[in-house]
Amino acid sequence: MTGGERVEDRALLGGRGRFIDDLPAPPRTLHAAILRSPHAHAQLGSISAPDGVRLFTGPEIAAGLRPFIAALRAPMRHFPVATDKARYVGEPVAVVLAEDRYRAEDALELVEVEYEPLPAVVSPSAAIAEGAPLLHEAAGTNLANRRRFSYGDPEGAFAAADRRFAIEVSYPRSAVTPIECFGLIAAWDPDADAFEVTAPFQGPFALHPVMAAALGVPANRLRLRTPPDSGGSFGIKQGLAPYIVLMAAIARLAGRPVKWIEDRLEHLTAAGSATNRETRLEAAVMSDGRVTALRYTQLEDCGAYIKAPEPATLYRMHGAMTGAYDIPNLEVENSIAVTNKTPSGLNRGFGGPQVYFALERLMHRIADGLGLDRLEVLRRNLVREMPHRTASGALYDSGDFGAVVDLARTAIDELRARRAAARAEGRLYGVGLAAAVEPTVSNMGYITTVLEHEDRLAGGLKNGALAAATVAIDPHGGVTVTGDSIPQGQGHRTVLAEVVAGVFGLAPADIRVVTEFDSARDAWSIAAGNYSCRFAPAVAGTAWRAARTLRGRLARLAAARLDLPLEDIRFEGGMVGAGPGREVPFARLAGLAHWSPGTLPQGVEPALRATEFWTPPELGPPDAEDRINGSAAYGFIFDACGVEVDADTGRVRIDRYVTAHDAGRLLHRPMADGQVRGSLSNAVGAALFEAFVYDGAGQPLAGTFADYPPPTACETPDPEILHLESPSPFTPLGAKGIGEGNTMSAPACIANAVADALGVDDLELPLTPARVAALIP
Amino acid sequence: MPRMTVNGEAVDAAAEPRLLLSDFLRHTLGLTGTHVGCEHGVCGACTVLIDGRPARSCLALAVQCEGAEVVTVEGLEEGVLHAAFRRHFALQCGFCTAGILMSLTAFLRETPRPTEREVREVLSGHLCRCTGYTPIVAAALDAADA
């Protein structure tokens, strides 16, 4: 573990960051403003504007595009702009261009659109009910997909169970709204029929061929670059993909470069969010608290279109539906609905919060229902043996879950003492617990679990998670590293410099890391991007492997030069060899490879540039029984918190939050802790404050940060963070992800504490003061 | 043409009456260190100092700053506060950071020995999605101590 200051920080603190809206635009760039539907569901009529307005209507734009490719082959055509109907408030219906953004917004006001409003469906259960208005008439239904899965013998386990417990939860929509909104610059080269777009898109780059196909060009004619800095993403900037296509299409139509910067109203209305989900979860339980089977019925709401990579939110956790527990029997019914709401997409925790809220709330209720200690019931069900194959196919790689729980034992005793003291004074105080596994490095094939196996075979089995990194050494011995991780503030340059410096015996300051990405020049594949915590386990490990490749070349060169056995060669303090008098400077060795390739010993590859790709062999496609190992590695989290509820106002105050992690080998402890604090604060928002609320007509009610209030420094707890490190056997450095875990575990943990404080069974997030006050007995 | 100083230099640039100060700083003067996060005064990312006091540059028109002294993040001395931010990992993406530095600069000038509660209250005018705020609080207290 190293853990030095971040190389990113000087520029950012000095105001010298280079974010998308800071970059110079090409000559003759026009600025775009998007006209968006004010109706949740409406037939579109004519769209017109006075002469002089550079107007591009949906039908004009879509005429040059192909519908987006989707994982589901449902007849629900999706373009980046509405063509026949608008299906959610905020859906683009036209674009205007002008010399600057102010004038573009002026021009928007001159555009006339004929709308014929249609009835809207807002909740997924209403959407799939008989007689509901159809979003996509060609599909004939708002139920995009339904699949049933059975693993082990759930029926037998339920029949043999001493008790059954069930919970029904409705998980709301929220998003970790980055403070920087979307933005991009798009240009079209008529001579090459090629597009060049700069945008803080975060991946996954599986969407790159999707975007190119929508534009009707081969992928090598969509050059996608990222700015040096991105103002946060948390999954959300995956949602740039349709806008990249939209503005590239406009740039082609206009014959001019186009710049578009989203504003906050647009972002909160239409950028995207996590899915909302209605879940019924039932458990077969023995009287000692052992859970022998789970039965999930999940109804996922993907909004108006199943936008790639959806329905991935529903399937990311599929292999891990039993969470941190050893439960051999599992039944899952998954339904996917479309509704007149903004299409869903990536959001930190992706699919985890929806599952863990149901599972961890249920575990709490099982203990209460049996009159057993909640911690003991949780502990009794934990996975013990590693590696562990779950019922639905995940391969948990390493760790001692019970030992991580034990890290927090004294804290739990102390929380319970606080609760006793508070209750003795008549105050409302509760203690919550939650356990979760945190999947990291997504298997690009997990999404195909949504398909029948025959359809998977017909389409070709998909699997794996290719990561790429390049290390190059220049004639002065300077080392440059690039990787396909595309950071949005996570300090990847700092960590890569430390990892590669360690391989070469150099100082991190000797390493230059370039993270702005260029699809035309950098090594990448479809898994590229910044999601599913793939940086530390996949990208940093791949950079380490690339550095090891070059180290091997240099070592052979040094051995020949110094006439030493290869095994004596060490890399330390900028020198290569076997100690004083028997070593050469790293820089001279590098220069030799560049300046004197003809004199290298036989068999030594002269090139001092290595690109490595890595994919974990454990990531196979879903098998014929629908078992899927959705991720390369699985971290573990155990959370405990104490909350006090204000009996007069219903305000929930988090008194103390303890979070224990096993994320494998930690590459940079302070930044790992930073990921924990950040994801916990996001979870506090989701648990207590944030929700994209719609009225019955599908109008979003949260268009500003006053209506959609992320937590501030006054509401955000300062967690106590504990770590165990059980290196993953499946990743190059033994690292796992740590950036999403608390977004998965903490909403359930906080809700469990509030349920404990109030003595109630059913809770709906967010636990706003009004909602909680109504529950106070 | 508003006459003002920005980071101590007299400004010589035209501004339409409706031009926001944030856009004037960023796009007319090229001072892109000031960031725009919401344009409705909640997130605090665009905070600058106008005559020494923190203000949302997205809620001010450039022409309102006639005769004012404006300071942006580019005009701050890179001293103990910046060093404390680096030491405590008080930023991740860095997009909200400029506004926070401006508010803390003014706050610490007036309140050189703040309590944690006071620091959190000042920070409650800023949204940060990355850090969970704790490292920013620690950096501010550390800088005040220096």
Side-chain angles (χ1 to χ4, degrees), chain A residues 273-639:
Chain A
S273 71
T275 60
N276 54 300
R277 186 179 300 174
E278 294 177 5
T279 302
R280 183 175 197 280
L281 174 60
E282 189 178 17
V285 185
M286 304 311 287
S287 54
D288 66 353
R290 282 280 306 167
V291 179
T292 55
L294 291 176
R295 179 179 286 149
Y296 281 90
T297 310
Q298 303 190 102
L299 174 57
E300 182 86 326
D301 180 353
C302 282
Y305 301 92
I306 314 286
K307 184 180 75 173
E310 293 289 29
T313 309
L314 188 56
Y315 281 91
R316 189 221 187 159
M317 295 296 296
H318 193 79
M321 296 301 285
T322 46
Y325 308 117
D326 184 3
I327 302 173
N329 306 297
L330 173 68
E331 201 175 292
V332 181
E333 180 192 282
N334 281 339
S335 304
I336 299 161
V338 289
T339 62
N340 291 110
K341 304 210 291 279
T342 302
S344 59
L346 268 64
N347 185 52
R348 197 175 197 172
F350 198 53
Q354 294 92 330
V355 169
Y356 287 118
F357 187 73
L359 181 57
E360 294 306 297
R361 287 285 299 120
L362 184 61
M363 291 302 285
H364 176 127
R365 283 166 59 162
I366 289 170
D368 289 4
L370 294 172
L372 298 174
D373 181 87
R374 292 172 191 151
L375 179 61
E376 284 313 306
V377 169
L378 181 154
R379 221 179 174 294
R380 196 165 293 164
N381 283 290
L382 289 176
V383 167
R384 285 170 208 288
E385 301 290 320
M386 288 293 171
H388 170 80
R389 182 73 71 175
T390 67
S392 49
L395 183 62
Y396 294 177
D397 50 313
S398 66
D400 180 341
F401 293 180
V404 177
V405 170
D406 288 343
L407 288 179
R409 270 212 189 254
T410 30
I412 292 169
D413 291 341
E414 206 261 343
L415 287 172
R416 287 173 169 176
R418 286 191 196 198
R419 176 175 63 187
R423 287 184 177 175
E425 293 172 14
R427 291 185 283 133
L428 298 172
Y429 195 103
V431 175
L433 311 174
V437 294
E438 176 178 0
T440 77
V441 186
S442 282
N443 182 345
M444 300 313 284
Y446 77 71
I447 178 65
T448 62
T449 317
V450 72
L451 304 174
E452 301 289 341
H453 194 60
E454 305 76 70
D455 293 336
R456 285 199 292 267
L457 289 171
L461 293 175
K462 297 184 174 62
N463 71 292
L466 273 172
T470 300
V471 176
I473 307 174
D474 66 39
H476 283 152
V479 180
T480 301
V481 182
T482 60
D484 68 354
S485 68
I486 312 174
Q488 282 101 17
Q490 295 91 344
H492 293 180
R493 288 167 56 205
T494 301
V495 176
L496 288 176
E498 291 184 356
V499 165
V500 171
V503 172
F504 292 127
L506 300 172
D510 297 331
I511 316 293
R512 184 127 197 271
V513 184
V514 179
T515 50
E516 55 242 67
F517 179 84
D518 181 342
S519 70
R521 295 190 167 196
D522 288 312
W524 64 276
S525 181
I526 58 160
N530 193 22
Y531 63 96
S532 79
C533 288
R534 67 188 285 278
F535 170 69
V539 182
T542 306
W544 176 80
R545 287 162 60 107
R548 298 277 304 177
T549 297
L550 291 189
R551 180 187 150 118
R553 282 179 205 166
L554 288 171
R556 284 195 292 280
L557 186 53
R561 181 85 177 170
L562 298 164
D563 201 17
L564 288 168
L566 186 59
E567 55 273 20
D568 286 2
I569 303 295
R570 296 191 307 271
F571 290 69
E572 281 170 5
M575 302 298 285
V576 183
R582 299 193 297 163
E583 59 189 3
V584 290
F586 181 87
R588 183 176 303 171
L589 207 55
L592 206 62
H594 281 281
W595 287 104
S596 318
T599 66
L600 298 188
Q602 203 165 12
V604 173
E605 163 84 46
L608 289 188
R609 181 184 183 96
T611 295
E612 294 266 333
F613 280 85
W614 172 80
T615 184
E618 291 78 17
L619 295 183
D623 68 14
E625 279 76 48
D626 294 313
R627 283 184 295 252
I628 174 66
N629 183 26
S631 301
Y634 298 82
F636 176 71
I637 311 136
F638 175 69
D639 283 359

Side-chain angles (χ1 to χ4, degrees), chain A residues 6 22 102 106 264 711 713, chain B residues 18 23 26 37 92 120 133:
Chain A
R6 300 196 333 157
D22 306 339
Y102 284 66
D106 290 345
R264 184 57 63 182
Chain B
R18 66 174 177 171
D23 288 335
R26 291 179 47 77
Q92 289 182 25
R120 284 191 181 267
Y133 302 104

Side-chain angles (χ1 to χ4, degrees), chain A residues 3-6 9-10 12-16 19 21-22 102-103 106 175-177 179-180 230-232 234 263-264 488-489 668 670 674-675 677-678 681-682 690 704-705 708 710-714 716 718, chain B residues 16 18-20 23 26-27 32-33 35-40 42-43 45 73-74 78 82 85-87 89 91-97 101 117 120-121 123-124 126-135:
Chain A
E5 286 187 8
R6 300 196 333 157
D9 287 356
R10 264 179 206 280
L12 293 171
L13 286 163
R16 299 181 295 275
F19 298 87
D21 194 28
D22 306 339
Y102 284 66
R103 285 169 181 80
D106 290 345
V176 188
T177 54
I179 302 302
E180 179 194 44
S230 170
F234 318 104
D263 72 22
R264 184 57 63 182
Q488 282 101 17
H668 190 291
Q675 289 297 307
R677 289 194 194 91
S681 75
N682 303 154
E690 300 170 28
T704 72
F705 272 143
Y708 187 92
T712 77
C714 292
T716 306
D718 179 9
Chain B
E16 280 186 46
R18 66 174 177 171
L19 188 68
L20 297 176
D23 288 335
R26 291 179 47 77
H27 301 306
T32 54
H35 296 151
V36 173
C38 73
E39 289 184 297
H40 52 258
V42 179
C43 81
V73 67
E74 291 94 341
E78 294 187 24
H82 292 64
F85 266 62
R86 290 199 302 273
R87 214 160 41 241
F89 300 91
L91 63 155
Q92 289 182 25
C93 81
F95 198 77
C96 68
T97 309
L101 290 174
R117 189 74 236 163
R120 284 191 181 267
E121 269 168 29
L123 289 176
S124 74
H126 296 268
L127 295 179
C128 168
R129 288 303 230 168
C130 294
T131 64
Y133 302 104
T134 295

Side-chain angles (χ1 to χ4, degrees), chain A residues 639 657 675-685 717 719 742-743 746 750:
Chain A
D639 283 359
Y657 204 103
Q675 289 297 307
V676 170
R677 289 194 194 91
S679 61
L680 177 62
S681 75
N682 303 154
V684 167
N742 290 95
T743 56
I750 293 167

